[in-house]
Amino acid sequence: MEIRIRHFLYFLICVTLLASCSGFERVRKSSDVNYKLTKANEYFDKKHYVHANELYKELMPVMKSTRNYEAIFYKYAYTFYYTKDYLDASYYFKNFTEYFPSSKDAEECEFMSAVCLFKYAPKYSLDQTNSIKALEALQSYTNRYPNSKRMAEANSYIDQSKSKLEMKQSGAAKLYYNINQYKAATVAYKSVMRNFPESPNNDLYQYMIMRSMYKYAKASIADKQEERYANAISAYTELKDTYPNSKYLNEASKLYSEATNKVKKIRDEQHK
């Protein structure tokens, strides 16, 4: 009995889907533009965005010089967004602002174009070209509309984009350190601090600069060690002065003591 019910439900679903598809095909093949537009809007309102997208795509060139074109363009962009095709959605939202700069929806579409770039950007460990594009678009939006009701949301996306870029760069710096490329690690951590001056992790980066310099000095030839240990000592002083409450100070102070002793030993040997 239960199997029969399942088969019957499956049959009903198949019939419904076939009826839906055949109904859509009739709409799509119709030469009545107004009828097709009405059905496209119905599909959109019912959240059948794939069907709506296909109909709007056919209507766009036909309706270009009509009063309906702006509304079609607007909904067409959203069909891409709702189907998670963020790259195309960003493109059409951006184009909307260019075609209809005076529209009441222009601000919203500029914002959505930037949001789509943000959503399209991959996780931080992958290439962050699209995160950079998203950040630029979001900052452009906030500069253009400083009093927007979407400002808090835009700033949240900006912070998240910056965080991904920071994680990408700091990860690269850590990799240099882990493979014993201490000079490159020093340069990379300095770059992270320069690019993200307000990061809450800057005391960690300064500590890693000091640590990289210490390791670099330790691995250097004798003639270079004094100068390079001195650089590590300077980096420690900067850490202590700039971040007096850093949790990394205890570990850094041990390296500082070792570096100081190394310099003292080198100088003592030079004066023998």
Side-chain angles (χ1 to χ4, degrees):
M1 184 69 176
E2 188 176 328
I3 294 174
R4 286 182 180 178
I5 292 173
R6 276 206 300 267
H7 285 170
F8 178 69
L9 289 174
Y10 178 74
F11 172 76
L12 282 179
I13 291 170
C14 290
V15 169
T16 302
L17 288 173
L18 285 170
S20 173
C21 290
S22 62
F24 171 72
E25 283 303 310
R26 284 198 299 273
V27 175
R28 196 176 66 81
K29 292 176 181 178
S30 173
S31 59
D32 187 335
V33 174
N34 290 325
Y35 169 69
K36 192 176 284 189
L37 176 59
T38 298
K39 296 303 290 185
N41 289 335
E42 285 180 9
Y43 282 127
F44 186 89
D45 292 340
K46 291 177 181 178
K47 300 183 179 180
H48 298 165
Y49 298 117
V50 173
H51 287 346
N53 177 278
E54 289 188 44
L55 294 179
Y56 287 137
K57 181 179 180 179
E58 295 180 7
L59 288 166
M60 288 276 282
V62 180
M63 307 292 283
K64 191 167 186 177
S65 300
T66 70
R67 60 185 176 84
N68 293 314
Y69 187 55
E70 181 180 332
I72 293 171
F73 206 124
Y74 175 84
K75 290 183 177 180
Y76 186 49
Y78 265 107
T79 60
F80 288 108
Y81 177 76
Y82 289 131
T83 54
K84 298 185 178 180
D85 184 350
Y86 296 123
L87 195 58
D88 280 337
S90 178
Y91 173 80
Y92 282 102
F93 280 126
K94 185 64 177 175
N95 278 359
F96 182 95
T97 67
E98 294 172 356
Y99 285 136
F100 310 103
S102 301
S103 170
K104 64 179 178 60
D105 298 314
E107 178 194 332
E108 175 190 343
C109 286
E110 182 168 344
F111 174 70
M112 289 304 299
S113 178
V115 169
C116 289
L117 288 175
F118 171 83
K119 289 181 177 290
Y120 182 71
K123 61 183 181 179
Y124 79 92
S125 59
L126 300 176
D127 179 75
Q128 290 301 302
T129 300
N130 285 301
S131 289
I132 294 171
K133 290 180 179 178
L135 181 58
E136 290 172 348
L138 287 160
Q139 289 176 328
S140 175
Y141 172 81
T142 57
N143 291 336
R144 190 187 299 269
Y145 303 103
N147 299 316
S148 170
K149 65 181 181 181
R150 301 176 179 87
M151 186 61 69
E153 190 177 356
N155 283 331
S156 174
Y157 288 133
I158 286 172
D159 290 343
Q160 291 178 65
S161 296
K162 286 182 176 179
S163 178
K164 286 173 72 175
L165 293 171
E166 181 183 342
M167 290 173 72
K168 178 71 173 179
Q169 291 186 27
S170 64
K174 185 178 181 181
L175 178 61
Y176 281 129
Y177 181 86
N178 288 342
I179 61 175
N180 304 329
Q181 295 294 315
Y182 301 121
K183 185 176 182 180
T186 299
V187 172
Y189 277 117
K190 285 182 177 180
S191 179
V192 178
M193 293 186 72
R194 184 168 58 252
N195 292 335
F196 305 97
E198 297 178 3
S199 170
N201 300 313
N202 275 337
D203 63 329
L204 167 61
Y205 303 147
Q206 182 60 36
Y207 165 62
M208 289 305 298
I209 289 170
M210 188 261 177
R211 190 168 166 178
S212 299
M213 286 179 168
Y214 174 84
K215 294 274 191 176
Y216 185 51
K218 191 173 183 180
S220 297
I221 61 174
D223 289 347
K224 298 288 187 179
Q225 284 189 333
E226 181 180 355
E227 177 187 354
R228 291 172 182 174
Y229 278 124
N231 289 337
I233 291 168
S234 295
Y236 169 79
T237 301
E238 187 171 346
L239 172 66
K240 185 179 68 171
D241 292 347
T242 309
Y243 310 100
N245 299 315
S246 173
K247 64 181 180 181
Y248 303 104
L249 274 175
N250 284 339
E251 285 300 314
S253 65
K254 295 175 184 176
L255 296 179
Y256 167 75
S257 296
E258 291 178 21
T260 302
N261 289 335
K262 293 283 188 182
V263 170
K264 184 177 184 303
K265 184 178 179 181
I266 292 169
R267 288 176 179 173
D268 286 346
E269 289 178 352
Q270 289 173 345
H271 289 90
K272 284 184 179 179

